[in-house]
């Protein structure tokens, strides 16, 4: 299984970026959940957003709710993270992740996911 994340870059505060995560060796619809996490320098990896296939619901961290949107393209086996109204505190390396059989209580947890992409840097300047 490989997850390839891309779309990061440098953007000014208030701007937008769209991250993509393409999967190979795994069909998204067969996974329990697809998620995005981020890790800033000196900090632990934290949950950003996820989509669960069994209930077809999206989940967001409070810090990004209303600004970020997770979406999917089943035909392309790709998950997206649309990030709007970006803030300097959104600066981090963003990782996509896939979990087989991720239970609901683990949707927001790093340990709930089996596969990880390589990460893409997002830098938001003030």
């Amino acid at each position: 299984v490989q997850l390839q994340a891309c779309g990061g870059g440098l953007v000014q505060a208030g701007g937008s970026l769209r991250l993509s995560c393409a999967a190979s060796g795994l069909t998204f619809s067969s996974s329990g959940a697809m998620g995005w996490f981020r890790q800033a320098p000196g900090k632990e990896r934290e949950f950003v957003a996820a989509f669960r296939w069994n209930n077809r619901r999206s989940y967001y961290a409070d810090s990004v709710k209303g600004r970020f949107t997770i979406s999917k393209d089943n035909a392309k086996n790709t998950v997206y993270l649309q990030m709007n109204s970006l803030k300097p505190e959104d600066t981090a390396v963003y990782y996509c992740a896939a979990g087989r059989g991720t239970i609901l209580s683990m949707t927001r947890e790093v340990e709930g996911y089996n596969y990880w992409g390589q990460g893409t840097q997002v830098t938001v300047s003030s």
Side-chain angles (χ1 to χ4, degrees):
V1 175
Q2 285 192 328
L3 302 178
Q4 184 72 31
C6 64
L10 173 64
V11 64
Q12 288 188 334
S16 299
L17 283 173
R18 189 177 79 156
L19 306 183
S20 301
C21 178
S24 59
L26 171 74
T27 301
F28 280 164
S29 58
S30 69
S31 66
M34 292 295 303
W36 287 95
F37 290 76
R38 67 187 181 187
Q39 188 166 17
K43 295 187 176 181
E44 293 188 351
R45 194 169 297 189
E46 65 175 5
F47 170 76
V48 175
F51 178 83
R52 291 189 59 85
W53 292 96
N54 60 351
N55 61 9
R56 301 193 179 280
R57 289 185 61 183
S58 300
Y59 300 81
Y60 297 95
D62 289 342
S63 59
V64 307
K65 199 172 296 182
R67 300 188 297 122
F68 291 11
T69 303
I70 188 170
S71 62
K72 57 183 175 50
D73 185 328
N74 292 348
K76 296 182 179 180
N77 218 30
T78 299
V79 172
Y80 304 96
L81 184 68
Q82 178 67 42
M83 306 186 295
N84 299 328
S85 302
L86 282 162
K87 304 176 181 180
E89 51 263 44
D90 295 319
T91 294
V93 177
Y94 283 69
Y95 299 89
C96 63
R100 289 191 187 276
T102 304
I103 61 175
L104 182 60
S105 61
M106 295 299 289
T107 299
R108 300 169 183 265
E109 306 298 330
V110 169
E111 294 78 11
Y113 295 81
N114 307 99
Y115 307 105
W116 292 84
Q118 84 285 5
T120 183
Q121 176 71 45
V122 172
T123 303
V124 184
S125 63
S126 57

